[in-house]
């Protein structure tokens, strides 16, 4: 079975559960943010393992399910739990749900994640609007035969993080008095955290944050000309900046500490999402 046939089957299964509701924004909740799905009203919940051809999440603390319903007046399709390259999935598998979203008619994509803070002027708990990314690792979700019906073989990445959505986000943050940063996210595969030298390298390369997700999804979304916004919760200073080892508990603790603010911002952006970016 080829990719388009698989996607059609996944789409058909989800559509059947939705009974005519049409999600317009895809929302991916990163580490510690999963609870935001509880704010979705009249939800239809679909476990990943019930969806034909869908990968299944293996990370503790990541639920693997779609929650589809109303958030701030918009019908959203929320992924509670995403797929990471470090779990062993191929990049094509990591972006499979983004492609299903597009098949369902979704054009807006909201990516969130937890990331390590590389910029030494910033601090853990800061929220960073992703202005751009760096992917130095060789793999790419579009490597291999191009699915022509989804997008072009060669495609632009200068609009990967939509400028209009970034402006909306900056204004929303300002109006809610939520301080936000804007910067560059650099992908590392994980699951090992970076070395101190890798973090110095990332900084010299122009990165403000390092993380293990989001970039494949943003690439696949660009391929399909979706309108994407990404926000990182900077949960910890990246390796080597402070004289202390990194651990996943700190990531979860900071996520927990700022989740209210983060959710408020995410919701406000969804409320203000421009019609021409749907
Ligand atoms: N590095 C990579 N990924 C992360 C980090 C980090 O320091 N913190 C949260 N996710």
């Amino acid at each position: 079975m080829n990719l388009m046939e698989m996607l059609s089957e996944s789409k058909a299964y989800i559509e059947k559960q939705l009974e005519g509701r049409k999600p317009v924004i895809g929302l991916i909740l990163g580490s510690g943010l999963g609870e935001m799905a509880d704010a979705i009203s009249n939800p239809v919940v679909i476990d990943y393992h019930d969806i034909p051809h869908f990968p299944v999440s293996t990370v503790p603390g990541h639920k693997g399910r779609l929650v589809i319903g109303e958030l701030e007046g918009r019908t959203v399709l929320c992924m509670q739990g995403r797929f990471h390259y470090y779990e062993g999935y191929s990049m094509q598998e990591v972006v499979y749900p983004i492609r299903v979203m597009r098949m369902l008619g979704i054009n807006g994509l909201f990516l969130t994640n937890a990331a390590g803070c590389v910029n030494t002027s910033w601090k853990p708990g800061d929220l960073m609007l992703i202005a751009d990314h760096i992917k130095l690792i060789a793999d790419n979700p579009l490597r291999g035969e191009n699915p022509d019906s989804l997008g072009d073989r060669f495609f632009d990445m200068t609009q990967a993080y939509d400028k209009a959505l970034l402006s909306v986000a900056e204004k929303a943050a300002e109006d809610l008095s939520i301080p936000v940063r804007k910067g560059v996210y650099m992908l590392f595969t994980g699951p090992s955290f970076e070395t101190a030298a890798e973090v110095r390298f990332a900084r010299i390369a122009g990165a403000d944050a390092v993380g293990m997700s989001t970039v494949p999804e943003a690439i696949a979304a660009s391929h399909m000309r979706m309108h994407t916004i990404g926000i990182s919760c900077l949960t910890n200073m990246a390796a080597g900046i402070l004289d202390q080892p990194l651990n996943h508990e700190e990531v979860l603790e900071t996520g927990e500490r700022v989740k209210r603010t983060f959710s408020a911002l995410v919701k406000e952006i969804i409320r203000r999402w421009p019609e021409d970016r749907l």
Side-chain angles (χ1 to χ4, degrees):
M1 189 182 273
N2 70 30
L3 174 66
M4 296 314 295
E5 288 165 347
M6 288 163 64
L7 288 169
S8 294
E9 288 191 3
S10 304
K11 170 199 176 217
Y13 178 85
I14 296 167
E15 231 163 24
K16 202 157 145 227
Q17 325 293 312
L18 292 185
E19 298 177 330
R21 297 157 77 173
K22 292 248 176 279
V24 291
I25 296 172
L27 172 61
I28 301 192
L29 301 176
S31 302
L33 269 181
E35 279 177 34
M36 241 207 84
D38 300 340
I40 294 173
S41 54
N42 305 316
V44 173
V45 178
I46 307 173
D47 282 334
Y48 293 162
H49 60 242
D50 291 332
I51 306 170
H53 314 301
F54 231 66
V56 174
S57 184
T58 62
V59 188
H62 283 257
K63 284 185 186 157
R65 54 190 209 170
L66 297 180
V67 182
I68 303 130
E70 310 305 312
L71 191 64
E72 300 296 320
R74 270 9 205 287
T75 306
V76 301
L77 178 147
C78 170
M79 283 182 75
Q80 209 174 15
R82 64 146 59 83
F83 305 105
H84 300 88
Y85 193 64
Y86 63 73
E87 292 177 82
Y89 300 111
S90 67
M91 287 231 177
Q92 284 80 4
E93 288 172 309
V94 169
V95 304
Y96 188 84
I98 311 298
R99 291 173 163 170
V100 173
M101 288 180 193
R102 187 68 198 86
M103 296 289 284
L104 287 163
I106 294 173
N107 268 320
L109 181 62
F110 203 138
L111 300 170
T112 67
N113 62 49
C117 183
V118 168
N119 188 318
T120 51
S121 312
W122 303 350
K123 59 181 191 312
D126 284 359
L127 300 178
M128 184 189 87
L129 308 177
I130 303 177
D132 206 346
H133 77 223
I134 299 173
K135 179 185 74 61
L136 279 190
I137 62 177
D139 206 349
N140 188 299
L142 270 304
R143 180 167 177 271
E145 194 184 337
N146 186 57
D148 289 326
S149 48
L150 296 181
D152 297 336
R153 165 82 293 186
F154 303 106
F155 56 98
D156 180 53
M157 283 295 293
T158 65
Q159 302 294 316
Y161 302 93
D162 188 272
K163 303 237 176 0
L165 290 173
L166 269 170
S167 303
V168 167
E170 285 182 297
K171 187 74 174 62
E174 189 186 325
D175 292 347
L176 296 179
S177 305
I178 297 173
V180 284
R181 312 292 192 178
K182 191 161 74 172
V184 174
Y185 177 95
M186 184 163 177
L187 177 71
F188 283 81
T189 63
S192 47
F193 285 120
E194 299 69 33
T195 63
E198 285 164 346
V199 170
R200 287 196 298 274
F201 168 74
R203 187 178 306 114
I204 293 166
D208 298 290
V210 287
M212 308 175 190
S213 67
T214 302
V215 166
E217 290 99 320
I219 292 173
S222 270
H223 180 244
M224 298 182 290
R225 298 176 190 240
M226 293 168 79
H227 304 295
T228 302
I229 183 167
I231 306 185
S232 296
C233 174
L234 306 178
T235 50
N236 55 282
M237 293 314 285
I241 297 177
L242 305 176
D243 188 19
Q244 65 187 44
L246 261 55
N247 61 74
H248 188 55
E249 281 64 47
E250 186 185 3
V251 172
L252 296 179
E253 274 165 30
T254 309
E256 187 67 23
R257 177 161 67 78
V258 301
K259 71 179 182 198
R260 275 223 197 84
T261 320
F262 202 170
S263 314
L265 181 59
V266 169
K267 283 193 220 166
E268 187 60 22
I269 293 167
I270 287 173
R271 200 174 70 77
R272 299 185 187 197
W273 198 287
E275 293 292 330
D276 65 357
R277 292 294 188 273
L278 292 173

